[in-house]
């Protein structure tokens, strides 16, 4: 049995296999041909943080595969009142077939997975957001940006930046991350990406220079400056990141046909300008829809590999 906590646990071949399944399922959705691969299966969806896309894509996804989802918010479950993770994991996994968890510290997910009898999927932790990256790469494939692309990530060294490090280092493409010095990616995660890069041939560079990072890029991406849980730091972060807005001037340094990606929700006028977000280069709506297809690919793959 496999869990999906980070892309680090998956080989390049496995990641591409999941995306192949996702593309097949996406074509089927267009013709409203839902499969019954997960008939009679239940997905438990634990949310310790807010969500729009992750919740709706997982719930719709399991439904389209013939199963059903249960939304478990920490406000309503005993988890929110301090019932230990290891107890919750054993109870829930004796009843449902798959679990998705969105939480704070990544170690909470690891603890849950350790005690779970069914596969656990990371729906975002403070350190990683792997489901988003599968949707992002699916979008890159659809836009023809998956042949030796140069990807520039501008902004906070957060869960999204870490997940880009994992994706690039597993698949072997060039990734340039530009963040203010005090908000750089975790050195530990960067080191593990460098180890994977030795095998895949990925080229990964870190800097604090957004302009240098986007020169000739095929994909430009960013994320909020203050993630969930960092609300109190919003104003300090606004100042630290003021030169890190992806605006039209910055986009012009990338390739003419470069695409812009953002996991959403976006804060217009902060990490991205309204103009870039609404431009023809922006593929954010396609990217958001691809959460549904990518995660269906993950659920089917985990089911097939049990
Ligand atoms: N991108 C993303 O995970 O969105 P939600 O927070 O709405 O789930
Ligand atoms: N980095 C953001 C991503 C939201 C989908 C957060 O963790 O809040």
């Amino acid at each position: 049995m496999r869990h999906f906590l980070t892309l680090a646990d998956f080989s390049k071949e496995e990641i591409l296999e999941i995306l192949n399944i996702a593309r097949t399922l996406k074509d089927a959705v267009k013709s409203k041909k839902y499969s019954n691969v997960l008939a009679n299966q239940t997905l438990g969806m634990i949310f310790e943080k807010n969500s729009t896309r992750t919740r709706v894509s997982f719930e719709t996804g399991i439904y389209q595969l013939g199963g059903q989802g249960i939304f478990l918010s920490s406000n309503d479950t005993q988890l929110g009142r301090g019932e230990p993770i290891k107890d919750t994991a054993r109870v829930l996994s004796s009843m449902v077939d798959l679990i998705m968890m969105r939480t704070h510290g990544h170690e909470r997910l690891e603890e849950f997975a350790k005690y779970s009898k069914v596969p656990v999927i990371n729906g975002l932790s403070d350190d990683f957001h792997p489901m988003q990256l599968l949707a992002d790469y699916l979008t890159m494939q659809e836009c023809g940006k998956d042949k030796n692309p140069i990807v520039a990530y501008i902004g906070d060294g957060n869960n999204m930046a870490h997940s880009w490090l994992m994706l690039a280092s597993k698949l072997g493409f060039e990734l340039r991350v530009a963040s203010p010095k005090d908000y750089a990616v975790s050195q530990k995660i960067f080191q593990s990406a460098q180890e994977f890069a030795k095998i895949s041939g990925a080229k990964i560079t870190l800097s604090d220079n957004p302009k240098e990072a986007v020169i000739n890029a095929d994909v430009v991406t960013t994320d909020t400056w203050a993630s969930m849980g960092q609300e109190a730091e919003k104003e300090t972060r606004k100042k630290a990141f003021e030169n890190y807005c992806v605006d039209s001037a910055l986009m012009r340094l990338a390739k003419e046909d470069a695409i812009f990606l953002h996991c959403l929700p976006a804060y217009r006028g902060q990490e991205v300008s309204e103009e870039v977000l609404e431009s023809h280069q922006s593929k954010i709506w396609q990217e958001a829809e691809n959460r549904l297809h990518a995660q269906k690919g993950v659920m089917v793959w985990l089911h097939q590999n049990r």
Side-chain angles (χ1 to χ4, degrees), residues 143-145 150 176 214-220 247-260 276 279-283:
C143 296
K145 302 292 176 199
I150 300 175
R176 304 170 187 162
V214 297
I215 289 172
N216 262 330
D218 299 282
V219 178
V220 179
D247 56 16
S248 299
L250 197 66
M251 276 307 282
R252 272 195 290 278
L253 300 176
K255 287 204 180 103
E256 217 179 303
D257 62 350
I259 60 167
F260 172 77
V276 168
S279 70
H280 69 279
Q281 287 175 290
S282 170
K283 303 295 171 201

Side-chain angles (χ1 to χ4, degrees), residues 54 57 129 131-132 135 287-295:
T54 306
S57 53
H129 196 4
M131 295 302 112
Q132 183 65 54
E287 178 188 7
E289 181 194 323
N290 279 338
R291 291 292 304 278
L292 168 68
H293 311 297
Q295 290 157 197

Side-chain angles (χ1 to χ4, degrees), residues 237-256:
R237 283 172 169 267
K238 251 190 208 169
K239 287 194 191 82
F241 284 93
E242 64 187 2
N243 296 322
Y244 288 76
C245 175
V246 179
D247 56 16
S248 299
L250 197 66
M251 276 307 282
R252 272 195 290 278
L253 300 176
K255 287 204 180 103
E256 217 179 303

